[in-house]
Amino acid sequence: MNLTLRVWRQSGPSDAGRMVTYKVEDVSPDMSFLEMLDVLNERLIVEGDDPIAFDHDCREGICGMCGMVINGVAHGEQRATTTCQLHMRHFEDGAEITIEPWRAAPFPVVKDLVVDRSAFDRIIQAGGFVSVPAGSAPDAHSVPVRKEDADAAFDAATCIGCGACVAACPNGSASLFTAAKITHLSLLPQGQPERLSRAKAMVDQMDSEGFGGCTNTGECTAVCPKGIPLDTIAQMNSDYLKANAK
Amino acid sequence: MTATIERGSATAPVNTPAAKKTPTRKKPGGFLTSSNGKKVVMAVTGAVMVGFLVLHMLGNLKIFFGRDSFNDYAHALRTLLEPIAPYRSVLTILEIGLVLAVVLHMWAAISLSYRAGKARPVKYVAKKSQANGYTTHIMRWGGLTIVFFVIWHLLDLTFGVVNPKGFDSAPADRMIAGFDPSRWWVTLLYLVAVVMVGLHLRHGIWSAFQTLGWANRDRNKVLRATAGLISIVLVVGFLAPPLAITFGVVK
Amino acid sequence: MKFTEGPEIRDTKAPEGPVEERWEKRKFGAKLVNPANKRKLNVIVIGTGLAGGSAAATLGELGYNVKSFCYQDTPRRAHSIAAQGGINAAKNYRGDGDSIYRLFYDTVKGGDFRARESNVYRLAQVSVNIIDQAVAQGVPFAREYGGLLDTRSFGGAQVSRTFYARGQTGQQLLLGAYQALERQIAAGTVQMHTRHEMLDLIVADGRARGVIVRDMVTGEIERHLADAVVLASGGYGNVFFLSTNAKGCNTTAIWRAHERGAYFANPCYTQIHPTCIPVSGEYQSKLTLMSESLRNDGRVWVPLRKNDERAPGDIPEEERDYYLERIYPSFGNLVPRDIASRAAKNVCDEGRGVGPGGLGVYLDFRDAINRLGRDAVEKKYGNLFEMYERITGENPYDVPMRIYPAVHYTMGGLWVDYDLQSTIPGLFVIGEANFSDHGANRLGASALMQGLADGYFVLPTTIGDYLAAGPFGDVDDEAVAQAEIRVRDKIDRLLAVNGTRTPDSFHRELGKLMWDYCGMERTEESLRKALERIPELRAEFWQNVKVSGTAEELNQVLEKAGRVADFFDLAELMCLDALVRSESCGGHFRAESQDADGEALRDDEHFAHVSAWEHGGEDGPVLHKETLEYEYVKMTQRSYK
Ligand SMILES: Cc1cc2nc3c(=O)[nH]c(=O)nc-3n(C[C@H](O)[C@H](O)[C@H](O)COP(=O)(O)OP(=O)(O)OC[C@H]3O[C@@H](n4cnc5c(N)ncnc54)[C@H](O)[C@@H]3O)c2cc1C
Ligand code: HEM
Ligand code: SF4
Ligand code: FES
């Protein structure tokens, strides 16, 4: 396959940035999207150009490091798929592909397609944990957990922190990410003691990072590679309301 | 080739790049300044408005029982709790509450969109909705359409400024004259606006459930259906009188 | 390659006495640090995987002043996140006869008698606390309807002791550790440095006293000093270029510590996982693991005829060779990883492999679907099938999966004593980066256990014994300056070459070479060839590599080039180690050492030892042996026939 890529290039945080067009030839349909970019980058390096910087690590859809907006869709149009798991067989020969970084004020561009997602870490720092120092835990069977709760908590806990939800949200909201963690811990007995303070602290942190507010558009779940459901946001809202009512 | 960075003293405890990297972040304010708080305001004021719409619709439907029935209803509104309360006092209080709800609702909507704008200072070159873009467009543009409509609507049927019968006529007359077949375009305008309200509420009512934290996996279907049902009932209920008048069923 | 033999290592610091009392004894014997002093003691932890993340969090909780580093943009992305299958623990919640002793026994045996009894016993003991800790943190392990934890039997174990969270156990455990770490960051006990790569170790007055790191965003070279340094930088499987490891996994941290004096133990022990998705083309950048559990119901086969081009569905039953079932009738498709891997290689070498390049075997679910029904198969393996289809574009319900072995885990690593301290005082090594507990072969679901045992429970105790003598005062200025200059020089040299080949192209070539000559099957001849080729390729690298950009910016080519440079040196040591160890054991198969049936043959008389390599100068590395003694588990040859 031959493709035309339009890629966002920005040499650093202070550069204005622009879209640059590249032709890539002989792309195999079995390549992953990132492998296609690898091939382009190998060429750019040899030609003495700056290769396109992008984040990636596990390349199997679990670390959450990769992510770009492909043809206007975070992680590309293939559902429930991270960029690294997207394969070129889903594109047509001769296609033109636009590639942009996650766009949100709290995710400033570091270089090209690499953005700074440390705001997510700070949201977790605000309260996304159970305070239990190593060595202080009771026997694992001392508190049974309903299977349904454990399963639902697991579903919320599968969030990989990629940030696609923010990238896709017309409001630039981090609600899905934040809600996923709040819900995970809210559904388990171990998370109860800190439940309300956690919700309040995390939501407030999300706000002060400069993320937008949620208007339940559902764009986030639609692109979320782990399919985190919207009702996690309801759970977050409910906990947040209760925390404020106290 | 490499950076020329001060080597510094080897016993210096640490470089502390963490300090220089800390971005400026706003301190969280109170509940009402939080994005969630604003959403709650929106949901509550939205609910007040929905309540108003339901009553309003029921009233409108009286037109099918004859002009008098409708006029009596309009009159009753103005003489609520009379003689305990003076003429139109309760209605005025309700109206003020309603206006307050509208204002707060709009304030929250505007400040949330302002926030959203700030959260995405650089726009995408290409952007494609994966949730069919419905909400984003309908809620804000739909909301604005409703505002313009409401103003016109008040001028038309409440104050009678743009109504052929003027202010001093009976409410039923104003309504029937307003939607006279010759003024088909008014009916059309009304139709568009009411459908917009319906679309706004189809998402809005569900969204309010979500905002207030009532939605969950098991309930979601029911809540979505409820939102849809209320919206449809309102749309049909609001459209029935004007259409009936325009097509000559009610004279 | 030249090498010399140095004195044996005699003391590993394990306490004497009955194996089950040794850890208790060590804990009691370890000096305690006065709580008021902890704040004054600085500890650097490199890596935020299960090992490093849990260690940094725990040290922070204890009150030490911790600095944590990782090369990713957040600690939550360490490669531990990718572990799928589960984590072992001797809880015996099933009452199926499991016990600490049995987990100990299985691990020593599974490691093919090349691990220390004392360490393994401690691992089995501590395994129990890990599950408690994780559950308390909110790790959503799979549960049964009664609300209690579910377990499964994994990797051929005969008891059900593997705890799991669907196919994402590593992710859930790592998030638990990550959250504990973030809590400490918020509390101010841990200072986090993401996108920072450790490039050298500062050793002053015989103690590890800090690290030189590069800020990967600005290119700034930073010096960080401390009273102790903990390396938790993971495994080095990426020396093969293609592996199931994350792209960024590297040997740089441990290799440069090795250059500063830490011994490297058993570098040749690598684990090859039998069920990975095969290579599809030249551009392939990594390999994806398919959970081992697939072998519970899938049947492995290849065509009987060589170069059979027919579609799998067109090959009749009698022309298929279910070779695992044929060769190992009692274990069949469930033979251990190393055996399944080598068998696949053998049939492919015979020319009977399938798929592109003939490097693949079928893993067929046809019979399982007929027997259990499609729905049941989907329930069990649906997400794995989906993942396979996403990558290959083939639907495993209709066409058999194609799988091939891939490098997965490295048992070797920096040598550590019972306290997890390396040969450099003050340098501790935990997780996959050390060599300690798995011998020559790691059992499934044991790496997560080891990483967390090290980080939550072992290191926090043993490091206290070392730190009790601290703080160690100012660091010699010269030592720090030297380390920094070495780092700057290396970067400058890489940038100065300005040749014509990319770092990746060298890495690919090195990887291929390692896979061919030091992979699943090693021979004296292949290893000698590798030892000849590696220096040549390395020389070419230093003459012809092209690193674009500058050092003062985010420069992924420069990062890569530095890592590849270290892989060259490590590769050479791996081949040397493999050459010297002329027996077969666990993941290390020397073709010269096999029995009549082609199974691995250990040579306990000559090789029941750890090979710990000291970095050498002109005369090459120095080999120090640590003799392994088995008081509890009797040495036997493994058999799975
Ligand atoms: C696909 C896959 C599946 C697996 N499944 C299982 C399983 O089911 N059960 C099981 O028990 N084991 C499994 N394993 C093995 C297990 O996951 C690993 O051995 C284990 O997680 C390693 O943990 P770690 O903390 O030692 O290192 P890692 O998790 O690899 O962490 C390394 C850390 O070091 C940092 N780092 C590395 N180099 C540098 C440097 N130079 N400077 C700064 N920081 C650096 C990285 O940023 C990272 O934070 C699996 C492995 C793979 C690849
Ligand atoms: C008849 C009058 C109106 C009614 C009954 C109404 C009702 C509602 C309701 C119930 C919600 C849901 C609140 C939530 O998400 O929790 C809502 C949301 C919203 N409304 Fe209105 N509204 C009305 C008028 C307006 C007007 C005039 C505007 C224009 C400014 C507007 C703009 C919005 C916006 C932007 C939202 C948020 C969108 C979202 O939640 O996705 N509404 N409305
Ligand atoms: S909620 Fe989904 S899209 Fe958002 S960070 Fe988590 S995994 Fe990514
Ligand atoms: S690179 Fe890890 S999720 Fe894509």
Side-chain angles (χ1 to χ4, degrees):
Chain A
M1 300 157 67
N2 298 329
L3 302 165
T4 307
L5 306 184
R6 292 174 62 222
V7 187
W8 180 260
R9 301 302 311 262
Q10 180 176 345
S11 63
S14 52
D15 180 24
R18 71 218 67 88
M19 298 300 285
V20 178
T21 304
Y22 299 94
K23 297 253 183 249
V24 203
E25 274 143 32
D26 281 336
V27 173
S28 154
D30 286 329
M31 277 181 184
S32 72
F33 198 83
L34 297 186
E35 283 166 349
M36 183 272 294
L37 288 178
D38 286 344
V39 169
L40 170 62
N41 274 347
E42 290 284 286
R43 198 186 81 203
L44 293 179
I45 297 169
V46 172
E47 289 169 358
D49 270 348
D50 204 15
I52 300 161
F54 59 87
D55 265 335
H56 65 103
D57 202 22
C58 72
R59 295 208 177 184
E60 48 186 75
I62 191 73
C63 75
M65 186 116 174
C66 65
M68 35 191 100
V69 175
I70 300 167
N71 286 338
V73 182
H75 286 310
E77 273 186 87
Q78 181 86 350
R79 288 255 159 161
T81 304
T82 54
T83 304
C84 60
Q85 292 284 79
L86 179 63
H87 281 70
M88 297 314 293
R89 64 180 76 90
H90 300 294
F91 295 85
E92 313 238 303
D93 188 19
E96 190 180 291
I97 305 175
T98 324
I99 309 176
E100 296 172 82
W102 287 171
R103 293 254 183 244
F107 285 175
V109 172
V110 174
K111 182 176 182 181
D112 299 339
L113 304 172
V114 176
V115 300
D116 177 354
R117 285 168 288 197
S118 53
F120 272 8
D121 288 333
R122 290 187 293 271
I123 291 175
I124 299 294
Q125 270 162 40
F129 46 73
V130 175
S131 300
V132 46
S136 60
D139 184 85
H141 269 181
S142 58
V143 188
V145 180
R146 264 186 359 130
K147 180 172 167 54
E148 294 78 4
D149 291 342
D151 287 349
F154 176 88
D155 286 341
T158 56
C159 163
I160 58 175
C162 62
C165 44
V166 174
C169 177
N171 304 310
S173 170
S175 286
L176 196 63
F177 166 82
T178 311
K181 184 48 62 196
I182 289 176
T183 303
H184 159 208
L185 296 174
S186 268
L187 289 175
L188 294 172
Q190 289 81 6
Q192 295 314 310
E194 293 163 293
R195 178 171 176 172
L196 298 186
S197 58
R198 169 186 309 119
K200 175 148 175 42
M202 289 178 74
V203 170
D204 286 344
Q205 185 64 31
M206 170 177 88
D207 267 357
S208 51
E209 293 290 344
F211 291 104
C214 170
T215 56
N216 301 314
T217 64
E219 296 285 347
C220 50
T221 1
V223 299
C224 173
K226 299 294 149 187
I228 303 290
L230 265 194
D231 21 288
T232 56
I233 297 184
Q235 176 75 55
M236 167 174 84
N237 293 339
S238 157
D239 286 359
Y240 185 74
L241 259 180
K242 284 186 197 136
N244 275 288
K246 280 222 302 193
Chain B
M1 289 284 234
T2 45
T4 46
I5 293 158
E6 256 305 294
R7 289 240 161 95
S9 140
T11 45
V14 234
N15 279 352
T16 43
K20 74 175 182 239
K21 272 185 202 154
T22 317
T24 44
R25 290 191 295 278
K26 272 211 223 144
K27 275 255 153 292
F31 179 69
L32 286 186
T33 57
S34 72
S35 57
N36 270 44
K38 284 178 189 155
K39 280 308 298 280
V40 171
V41 168
M42 206 131 142
V44 172
T45 53
V48 169
M49 291 189 283
V50 169
F52 159 76
L53 287 185
V54 170
L55 292 177
H56 187 357
M57 174 194 76
L58 289 175
N60 285 1
L61 290 176
K62 300 240 180 223
I63 198 80
F64 289 106
F65 300 101
R67 288 179 188 231
D68 292 344
S69 167
F70 185 80
N71 285 339
D72 289 350
Y73 149 74
H75 180 72
L77 276 184
R78 287 161 180 75
T79 56
L80 262 182
L81 287 189
E82 230 173 55
I84 300 170
Y87 181 73
R88 224 183 177 291
S89 59
V90 175
L91 185 62
T92 307
I93 291 172
L94 288 177
E95 279 171 350
I96 291 174
L98 193 61
V99 168
L100 209 65
V102 171
V103 168
L104 282 174
H105 192 82
M106 283 175 58
W107 163 76
I110 290 167
S111 86
L112 278 171
S113 11
Y114 174 71
R115 207 190 152 80
K118 279 219 309 206
R120 167 131 333 116
V122 185
K123 302 282 174 277
Y124 288 107
V125 173
K127 183 77 182 95
K128 202 152 153 195
S129 168
Q130 291 299 288
N132 60 46
Y134 176 86
T135 3
T136 345
H137 297 117
I138 290 295
M139 292 317 277
R140 297 215 177 106
W141 291 111
L144 273 181
T145 318
I146 299 169
V147 174
F148 285 122
F149 168 73
V150 167
I151 295 172
W152 190 84
H153 182 72
L154 291 176
L155 292 179
D156 184 7
L157 296 179
T158 308
F159 303 112
V161 180
V162 293
N163 189 282
K165 294 270 172 183
F167 180 68
D168 288 331
S169 51
D173 292 342
R174 280 206 296 272
M175 181 160 176
I176 290 171
F179 296 113
D180 190 78
S182 64
R183 298 213 328 156
W184 57 270
W185 52 272
V186 173
T187 310
L188 197 65
L189 202 99
Y190 191 89
L191 189 132
V192 169
V194 168
V195 167
M196 273 298 187
V197 172
L199 293 177
H200 185 92
L201 291 183
R202 183 184 142 207
H203 173 74
I205 293 175
W206 174 77
S207 178
F209 291 142
Q210 176 84 1
T211 300
L212 297 173
W214 298 341
N216 68 26
R217 208 178 284 226
D218 307 328
R219 265 182 245 151
N220 245 342
K221 263 215 175 95
V222 178
L223 294 183
R224 289 248 187 212
T226 310
L229 193 72
I230 298 179
S231 313
I232 290 177
V233 167
L234 281 173
V235 169
V236 172
F238 271 109
L239 286 184
L243 288 179
I245 294 166
T246 307
F247 288 100
V249 181
V250 172
K251 292 206 172 97
Chain C
M1 189 184 185
K2 285 187 296 186
F3 77 96
T4 53
E5 213 173 308
E8 264 196 46
I9 303 174
R10 297 206 185 274
D11 184 15
T12 65
K13 287 215 206 138
E16 305 276 308
V19 73
E20 58 278 5
E21 287 170 18
R22 290 178 194 165
W23 179 228
E24 259 328 297
K25 260 190 176 164
R26 183 70 194 111
K27 280 198 281 191
F28 186 71
K31 284 183 223 98
L32 295 176
V33 182
N34 176 342
N37 256 350
K38 286 188 179 153
R39 218 32 229 160
K40 294 184 209 135
L41 289 161
N42 295 320
V43 183
I44 285 172
V45 181
I46 303 294
T48 58
L50 285 179
S54 59
T58 309
L59 293 173
E61 287 162 3
L62 289 173
Y64 294 107
N65 197 17
V66 182
K67 279 158 221 142
S68 168
F69 296 83
C70 69
Y71 68 75
Q72 294 92 343
D73 66 333
T74 144
R76 66 183 288 155
R77 308 209 200 285
H79 181 56
S80 297
I81 200 101
Q84 305 172 347
I87 176 167
N88 288 332
K91 278 284 197 188
N92 192 26
Y93 279 159
R94 300 252 155 196
D96 59 357
D98 198 12
S99 63
I100 289 173
Y101 196 89
R102 188 177 297 280
L103 176 55
F104 157 69
Y105 177 91
D106 288 353
T107 308
V108 169
K109 179 168 176 247
D112 221 1
F113 299 94
R114 292 295 175 261
R116 286 184 199 139
E117 282 189 333
S118 308
N119 284 51
V120 175
Y121 198 90
R122 174 178 64 192
L123 177 65
Q125 281 174 312
V126 167
S127 69
V128 178
N129 308 356
I130 298 173
I131 303 301
D132 298 342
Q133 179 63 24
V135 165
Q137 287 172 339
V139 170
F141 283 121
R143 293 196 178 250
E144 299 191 316
Y145 283 102
L148 300 180
L149 294 166
D150 192 13
T151 53
R152 58 186 175 200
S153 93
F154 192 74
Q158 279 162 337
V159 289
S160 182
R161 64 159 77 101
T162 305
F163 295 80
Y164 66 101
R166 257 175 254 174
Q168 279 142 267
T169 319
Q171 180 198 31
Q172 294 309 317
L173 289 168
L174 183 63
L175 292 181
Y178 158 74
Q179 287 162 204
L181 178 63
E182 291 297 335
R183 175 169 165 257
Q184 291 310 305
I185 294 170
T189 59
V190 178
Q191 197 182 54
M192 187 68 224
H193 300 271
T194 59
R195 293 201 200 266
H196 275 70
E197 186 170 32
M198 166 183 162
L199 295 179
D200 218 325
L201 179 74
I202 298 168
V203 182
D205 302 323
R207 291 179 193 273
R209 290 304 305 277
V211 292
I212 303 288
V213 298
R214 178 171 179 272
D215 178 331
M216 295 157 78
V217 174
T218 63
E220 218 164 316
I221 304 293
E222 300 170 1
R223 27 172 80 179
H224 294 265
L225 305 179
D227 296 291
V229 176
V230 180
L231 298 186
S233 56
Y236 50 85
N238 273 354
V239 65
F240 292 89
F241 186 77
L242 288 181
S243 82
T244 62
N245 287 8
K247 290 295 285 173
C249 291
N250 65 86
T251 188
T252 294
I254 55 171
W255 187 259
R256 298 201 181 170
H258 172 59
E259 289 180 336
R260 299 282 80 74
Y263 293 1
F264 206 123
N266 302 332
C268 80
Y269 289 166
T270 42
Q271 180 168 80
I272 312 245
H273 198 288
T275 51
C276 301
I277 300 177
V279 174
S280 70
E282 266 305 298
Y283 46 79
Q284 189 91 26
S285 63
K286 80 150 278 163
L287 295 170
T288 304
L289 181 85
M290 297 300 292
S291 168
E292 206 160 13
S293 61
L294 289 170
R295 286 198 282 145
N296 289 336
D297 285 302
R299 297 179 71 195
V300 177
W301 64 276
V302 288
L304 267 176
R305 252 194 311 164
K306 287 184 184 180
N307 305 322
D308 196 332
E309 301 270 287
R310 286 176 294 176
D314 297 341
I315 301 178
E317 200 58 27
E318 60 280 7
E319 291 178 44
R320 299 176 173 198
D321 179 12
Y322 293 90
Y323 59 90
L324 287 178
E325 296 167 26
R326 175 170 59 80
I327 310 175
Y328 306 99
S330 62
F331 275 74
N333 294 300
L334 291 173
V335 290
R337 292 178 178 178
D338 50 339
I339 292 178
S341 295
R342 220 167 39 247
K345 175 179 158 52
N346 289 341
V347 294
C348 293
D349 286 352
E350 289 165 19
R352 299 196 284 141
V354 297
L359 291 177
V361 299
Y362 290 126
L363 178 61
D364 201 336
F365 287 85
R366 186 195 59 185
D367 295 345
I369 292 172
N370 289 342
R371 183 163 40 92
L372 306 166
R374 195 186 146 119
D375 285 351
V377 170
E378 186 171 341
K379 260 222 179 81
K380 261 176 144 167
Y381 305 114
N383 56 343
L384 292 168
F385 278 31
E386 226 173 81
M387 175 158 104
Y388 180 85
E389 186 171 1
R390 197 171 292 153
I391 293 173
T392 61
E394 289 172 3
N395 179 353
Y397 293 104
D398 303 334
V399 214
M401 280 186 182
R402 285 174 299 108
I403 53 164
Y404 198 65
V407 174
H408 177 56
Y409 184 87
T410 49
M411 281 75 70
L414 291 187
W415 184 90
V416 289
D417 61 18
Y418 188 70
D419 283 354
L420 304 179
Q421 185 164 215
S422 73
T423 49
I424 303 176
L427 179 69
F428 292 77
V429 191
I430 58 177
E432 194 174 339
N434 75 21
F435 90 108
S436 66
D437 299 349
H438 307 295
N441 176 51
R442 176 178 70 80
L443 291 180
S446 286
L448 302 183
M449 169 171 72
Q450 182 226 334
L452 291 176
D454 288 0
Y456 281 132
F457 301 108
V458 180
L459 176 92
T461 306
T462 59
I463 203 173
D465 185 61
Y466 175 81
L467 289 170
F472 298 109
D474 284 355
V475 184
D476 173 36
D477 206 60
E478 193 46 35
V480 185
Q482 283 302 324
E484 189 181 324
I485 287 167
R486 274 195 305 271
V487 166
R488 288 179 186 280
D489 280 355
K490 195 154 198 167
I491 291 175
D492 288 345
R493 272 168 64 210
L494 286 170
L495 283 162
V497 178
N498 199 17
T500 60
R501 279 184 70 180
T502 64
D504 249 7
S505 82
F506 281 105
H507 191 186
R508 229 176 249 283
E509 191 172 343
L510 173 68
K512 173 107 183 29
L513 205 149
M514 289 297 285
W515 179 248
D516 289 345
Y517 298 142
C518 190
M520 262 184 285
E521 184 173 305
R522 299 144 177 197
T523 64
E524 173 162 359
E525 193 199 341
S526 74
L527 292 165
R528 288 198 186 282
K529 210 181 269 169
L531 284 170
E532 205 179 291
R533 276 296 291 141
I534 294 168
E536 289 169 10
L537 193 61
R538 174 172 47 208
E540 192 195 337
F541 173 84
W542 283 105
Q543 277 157 21
N544 197 22
V545 72
K546 168 95 185 175
V547 179
S548 52
T550 68
E552 297 90 25
E553 58 179 335
L554 190 156
N555 186 337
Q556 294 173 323
V557 190
L558 177 63
E559 292 159 20
K560 188 64 200 271
R563 293 172 191 167
V564 175
D566 294 328
F567 277 136
F568 274 116
D569 296 343
L570 166 72
E572 207 176 7
L573 187 67
M574 284 173 73
C575 292
L576 177 65
D577 186 45
L579 182 65
V580 172
R581 186 172 288 276
S582 58
E583 66 159 351
S584 297
C585 62
H588 170 62
F589 186 78
R590 280 287 298 267
E592 298 91 340
S593 180
Q594 48 180 310
D595 64 15
D597 296 327
E599 299 305 333
L601 197 61
R602 269 196 344 255
D603 177 356
D604 292 333
E605 195 186 325
H606 299 102
F607 290 102
H609 63 246
V610 174
S611 304
W613 296 89
E614 180 184 351
H615 192 71
E618 289 297 289
D619 299 326
V622 185
L623 172 62
H624 301 270
K625 292 176 181 164
E626 176 202 326
T627 303
L628 293 165
E629 272 152 30
Y630 293 89
E631 295 172 56
Y632 294 87
V633 190
K634 232 177 82 227
M635 291 211 230
T636 47
Q637 285 288 346
R638 292 191 305 167
S639 168
Y640 293 95
K641 291 257 160 159

